[in-house]
């Protein structure tokens, strides 16, 4: 039985919409947690600090040592929730590509995980980014490919032309 679904994709690739649709179509309750939840939980002072997380004007995301410490605790906490019986969908942006995946793999250990790559053409993601109005312009384009470097997925979906519900149904068909 799948215990954790990890969605990895760049900013504005459509992960959050897929997560909401997965929660609607999967038969059991699933918690939705992700990098945005972690960033929102941090003190505001860490969102503009060399030690925390910075969003550069060009869309680049820079993380420091304090962020990494809290992120490691966060990942272990998410894994602990899954081990305790919560089914979890993780909405992530693996800025470190395969290194980011390895951190999660280590924490998730023996849990049954479905690894899903969420791809979107960088031009389409950039258009969504502008329409959203709550993102630093340039983040979507800078992350569209880098988050997938060296990744190993069980499944990939592409939101360039597919709707969130269509992608969610494809993913749900792979959840056992």
């Amino acid at each position: 039985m799948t215990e954790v679904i990890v969605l990895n994709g760049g900013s504005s690739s459509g992960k959050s919409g897929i997560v909401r649709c997965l929660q609607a179509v999967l038969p059991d309750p699933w918690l939705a947690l992700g990098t945005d939840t972690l960033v929102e939980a941090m003190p505001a002072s860490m969102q503009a600090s060399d030690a925390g997380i910075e969003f550069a004007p060009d869309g680049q995301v820079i993380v420091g040592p304090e962020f990494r410490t809290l992120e490691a605790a966060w990942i272990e906490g998410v894994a602990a929730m899954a081990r305790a019986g919560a089914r979890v969908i993780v909405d992530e942006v693996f800025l470190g590509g395969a290194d980011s995946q390895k951190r999660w793999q280590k924490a998730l250990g023996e849990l049954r995980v479905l690894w899903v790559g969420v791809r979107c053409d960088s031009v389409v993601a950039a258009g969504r980014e502008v329409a959203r109005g709550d993102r630093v312009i340039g983040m979507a384009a800078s992350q569209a490919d880098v988050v997938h470097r060296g990744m190993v997925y069980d499944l990939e979906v592409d939101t360039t032309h597919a709707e969130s519900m269509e992608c969610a149904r494809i993913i749900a068909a792979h959840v056992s």
Side-chain angles (χ1 to χ4, degrees), residues 53-63 95 129 136-143 146:
I53 185 167
E54 290 186 79
F55 301 96
D58 65 356
Q60 185 180 7
V61 179
I62 304 144
V63 297
L95 295 173
E129 178 179 70
V136 175
I137 302 301
M139 226 186 321
S142 71
Q143 295 175 2
V146 72

Side-chain angles (χ1 to χ4, degrees), residues 21-115:
C21 291
L22 277 169
Q23 287 179 306
V25 300
L26 290 169
D28 299 312
W30 286 75
L31 296 176
L33 302 168
T35 193
D36 287 346
T37 314
L38 170 61
V39 171
E40 289 168 9
M42 291 181 175
S45 62
M46 283 193 62
Q47 295 181 28
S49 154
D50 290 346
I53 185 167
E54 290 186 79
F55 301 96
D58 65 356
Q60 185 180 7
V61 179
I62 304 144
V63 297
E66 287 180 11
F67 177 88
R68 286 287 181 224
T69 299
L70 291 176
E71 179 190 44
W74 167 260
I75 292 169
E76 289 294 335
V78 171
M81 285 191 290
R83 279 190 204 92
R87 296 179 92 181
V88 180
I89 305 168
V90 178
D91 174 345
E92 262 292 353
V93 180
F94 287 165
L95 295 173
D99 289 338
S100 297
Q101 186 177 33
K102 286 176 189 168
R103 286 193 295 274
W104 276 95
Q105 286 171 326
K106 181 180 177 195
L108 295 171
E110 76 291 346
L111 293 166
R112 291 207 40 205
V113 181
L114 180 65
W115 296 92

Side-chain angles (χ1 to χ4, degrees), residues 108-166:
L108 295 171
E110 76 291 346
L111 293 166
R112 291 207 40 205
V113 181
L114 180 65
W115 296 92
V116 181
V118 179
R119 294 188 182 268
C120 183
D121 179 84
S122 63
V123 173
V124 172
R128 292 177 186 166
E129 178 179 70
V130 170
R132 287 175 71 162
D134 66 348
R135 301 287 173 173
V136 175
I137 302 301
M139 226 186 321
S142 71
Q143 295 175 2
D145 293 320
V146 72
V147 299
H148 299 292
R149 287 194 188 134
M151 293 295 299
V152 177
Y153 296 118
D154 298 309
L155 176 66
E156 292 187 45
V157 294
D158 190 325
T159 65
T160 303
H161 302 291
E163 295 295 324
S164 295
M165 185 55 83
E166 180 183 346

